[in-house]
């Protein structure tokens, strides 16, 4: 019996979501406690099973066209277009929360098929194939999520220069909290594109400022200057609000994190719902912020060391 396994984890944007779609850099941290695992097993009939779907390729195309396109591409890549298989996917990454669940699905599936065919892949190869589904899901995708869900450390993602893992010696912790509302990245990306089209000068200027914040943020996180890095996160949040992707739910949680001693806080990912991320320099402070956010109604939250 032939078998393949692949996995990927969640991510949180610390700086630079949205502006990254327009060519500016972003800093993205892995959330290793949340992951997606995919298994491919021989079978005489194709069956795809996830936490919220069970069906054939045909049914998959109807519900999740991004994953359908990805599987079709993978079977062509391995020159086995008629292969029948069972694909089982298990994930504890909440979807529509800005935490990279769609990218983690795509990467876990690509890695599982590479393993099934005993194919030794590079990150670039996995990235190229996984982006097929990401581009379909997001409408327009920077690729930052796809690299971040594979990377073991925080990345500086520059659409021109690709992803560099930041070698950090930092005391930083992040608290990521679900706002309890869903945010669809494709809608957020579309909203920002519409706003940009209506007023390219103003929105282009916001992207530029966000790019400068991410560049500065790289220096500060490398220097472990967390007060300044936190300030940049909050500045980035103000610009995200100007782009139109923040919500009162997100802003309430951001305020609670800051009032409880976070060094900075912002929405993370596409916005319009989803999650926030707050920065601290001790694990104890992170635990306090987590409790405050949960008390304020965040249904789930996670602490991660950077
Ligand atoms: C979504 O997690 C991040 C965005 O910048 C979209 C992208 O980078 O493709 C909003």
């Amino acid at each position: 019996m032939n078998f393949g396994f692949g996995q990927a984890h969640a991510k949180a944007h610390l700086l630079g979501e949205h502006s990254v779609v327009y060519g500016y850099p972003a800093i993205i941290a892995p959330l290793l406690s949340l992951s997606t695992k995919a298994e491919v097993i021989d079978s005489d009939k194709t069956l795809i099973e996830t936490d919220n779907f069970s069906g054939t390729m045909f049914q998959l195309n109807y519900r999740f066209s991004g994953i359908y396109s990805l599987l079709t591409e993978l079977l062509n890549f391995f020159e086995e277009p008629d292969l029948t298989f069972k694909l089982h996917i298990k994930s504890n990454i909440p979807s529509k929360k800005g935490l990279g669940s769609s990218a983690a699905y795509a990467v876990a599936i690509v890695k599982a098929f590479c393993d099934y065919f005993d194919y030794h892949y590079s990150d670039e190869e996995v990235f190229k194939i996984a982006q097929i589904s990401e581009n379909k899901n997001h409408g327009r995708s920077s690729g930052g999520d796809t690299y971040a869900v594979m990377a073991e450390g925080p990345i500086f993602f520059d659409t021109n220069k690709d992803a560099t893992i930041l070698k950090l010696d930092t005391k930083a912790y992040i608290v990521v909290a679900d706002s309890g509302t869903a945010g669809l990245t494709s809608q957020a990306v579309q909203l920002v594109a519409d706003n940009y089209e209506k007023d390219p000068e103003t929105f282009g200027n916001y992207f530029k400022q966000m790019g400068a914040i991410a560049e500065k943020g790289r220096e500060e996180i490398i220097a472990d200057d967390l007060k300044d890095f936190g300030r940049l996160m909050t500045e980035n949040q103000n610009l995200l609000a100007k782009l139109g992707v923040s919500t009162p739910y997100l802003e309430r949680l951001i305020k609670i994190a800051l009032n409880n001693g976070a060094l900075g806080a912002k929405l993370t990912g596409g916005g319009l719902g989803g999650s926030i991320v707050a920065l601290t320099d001790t694990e104890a402070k992170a635990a306090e912020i987590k409790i405050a956010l949960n008390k304020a109604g965040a249904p789930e939250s996670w602490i991660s060391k950077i």
Side-chain angles (χ1 to χ4, degrees):
M1 192 177 77
N2 212 357
F3 174 84
F5 174 78
Q7 76 169 321
H9 47 257
K11 61 82 198 170
H13 275 74
L14 303 185
L15 294 172
E17 54 275 87
H18 286 294
S19 43
V20 70
V21 176
Y22 296 83
Y24 293 98
I27 298 179
I28 319 172
L31 290 178
L32 298 173
S33 63
L34 297 174
S35 65
T36 300
K37 297 181 166 76
E39 290 175 356
V40 193
I41 311 154
D42 288 333
S43 170
D44 51 5
K45 269 197 199 124
T46 292
L47 179 68
I48 297 113
E49 282 183 316
T50 73
D51 295 322
N52 55 9
F53 172 85
S54 175
T56 61
M57 281 287 272
F58 177 75
Q59 290 160 329
L60 185 76
N61 190 15
Y62 186 66
R63 287 270 307 278
F64 300 100
S65 62
I67 296 184
Y68 172 84
S69 305
L70 175 70
L71 287 172
T72 309
E73 181 66 26
L74 271 169
L75 297 181
N76 287 334
F77 179 82
F78 288 110
E79 297 176 355
E80 291 270 7
D82 299 321
L83 182 83
T84 55
F85 57 87
K86 192 167 159 199
L87 173 65
H88 183 73
I89 306 166
K90 194 121 196 77
S91 181
N92 66 351
I93 308 177
S95 65
K96 303 192 184 95
K97 301 294 182 181
L99 302 181
S101 113
S102 66
Y105 253 72
V107 167
I109 292 171
V110 174
K111 288 194 170 184
F113 274 89
C114 289
D115 189 34
Y116 180 90
F117 287 109
D118 211 10
Y119 179 80
H120 297 277
Y121 50 81
S122 64
D123 280 358
E124 283 69 29
E125 279 173 306
V126 175
F127 174 81
K128 261 196 204 146
I129 306 179
Q131 274 302 97
I132 293 169
S133 114
E134 276 298 272
N135 279 323
K136 218 161 182 168
N137 288 333
H138 290 188
R140 182 175 172 185
S141 150
S142 68
D145 289 18
T146 305
Y147 266 119
V149 302
M150 288 193 260
E152 296 299 318
I155 60 167
F156 183 81
F157 180 76
D158 183 327
T159 39
N160 304 314
K161 297 184 205 116
D162 294 335
T164 322
I165 300 212
L166 294 170
K167 299 217 172 356
L168 300 179
D169 183 11
T170 169
K171 300 176 287 302
Y173 284 85
I174 53 171
V175 185
V176 174
D178 173 5
S179 67
T181 54
L184 207 57
T185 300
S186 56
Q187 270 173 17
V189 168
Q190 189 55 51
L191 174 76
V192 172
D194 291 346
N195 287 342
Y196 178 53
E197 202 184 307
K198 276 185 224 144
D199 187 351
E201 203 185 319
T202 305
F203 282 81
N205 192 30
Y206 294 153
F207 298 146
K208 205 166 157 196
Q209 289 179 54
M210 290 162 117
I213 286 176
E215 292 279 3
K216 186 108 193 40
R218 172 172 53 175
E219 286 165 27
E220 272 151 15
I221 193 97
I222 288 173
D224 202 21
D225 196 342
L226 299 181
K227 274 198 183 127
D228 283 344
F229 190 83
R231 232 173 268 139
L232 289 176
M233 285 172 69
T234 310
E235 246 179 71
N236 194 159
Q237 165 62 23
N238 295 337
L239 288 161
L240 286 162
K242 287 184 179 166
L243 290 188
V245 294
S246 195
T247 68
Y249 286 104
L250 294 166
E251 275 161 29
R252 184 169 158 265
L253 292 184
I254 289 166
K255 204 162 160 200
I256 287 165
L258 292 172
N259 288 345
N260 280 274
L263 300 172
K266 58 185 274 297
L267 70 83
T268 187
L272 291 183
S275 306
I276 68 137
V277 58
L279 181 81
T280 69
D281 53 4
T282 67
E283 197 172 5
K285 195 64 178 160
E288 272 175 42
I289 294 170
K290 181 174 158 58
I291 291 170
L293 291 169
N294 292 351
K295 256 197 201 152
E300 275 192 288
S301 57
W302 306 268
I303 293 176
S304 181
K305 171 126 180 61
I306 296 295

